[in-house]
Amino acid sequence: MNAHDPSRRGFLGRAAAFVLAGLTAQAALAQAAKPATQPAALPPLPLDNPQAKALAYTPNAAAVKHPLFKPGSDCANCNFYKGAPGQAHGPCLMFPQHSVAAKGWCSAWAKKA
């Protein structure tokens, strides 16, 4: 076999380019699949939001005067609250487009399992 065979050289060049393209595509896909380091912050739930009004949401559970309120209940210990422990605000399944106060409360409160 001749080392200077143009067909062999062409094959090796195309094979190297193909492997390089595959590795580049794989790296790009892996980068795109990585989760964002910090999710976009949700805006706070406005008190005039129709669903907030319907569920009697308040950002301060200590001030709640509602017949369904149980002492010690707040968003942080609610099953629907998905904020990280210790954070002042976080997402809630009841208000998917907004964040709620961890010390808040609404009438949909359900004890965290």
Side-chain angles (χ1 to χ4, degrees), residues 90-107:
C92 174
L93 297 177
M94 294 285 98
F95 310 102
Q97 302 299 318
H98 298 92
S99 66
V100 296
K103 293 182 179 181
W105 182 87
C106 82
S107 62

Side-chain angles (χ1 to χ4, degrees), residues 6-113:
S7 62
R8 184 182 212 197
R9 194 177 317 162
F11 170 77
L12 290 176
R14 286 189 299 274
F18 181 77
V19 168
L20 184 60
L23 291 174
T24 302
Q26 183 180 12
L29 287 173
Q31 183 66 24
K34 284 184 181 177
T37 55
Q38 181 105 19
L42 294 172
L45 179 64
L47 296 178
D48 63 350
N49 176 291
Q51 187 161 344
K53 285 182 175 182
L55 294 176
Y57 171 76
T58 180
N60 182 4
V64 173
K65 296 192 185 337
H66 191 279
L68 296 177
F69 178 74
K70 295 175 185 167
S73 61
D74 59 29
C75 292
N77 61 24
C78 177
N79 195 47
F80 299 118
Y81 183 74
K82 300 304 175 193
Q87 286 189 327
H89 291 84
C92 174
L93 297 177
M94 294 285 98
F95 310 102
Q97 302 299 318
H98 298 92
S99 66
V100 296
K103 293 182 179 181
W105 182 87
C106 82
S107 62
W109 182 88
K111 186 176 181 179
K112 193 171 283 212

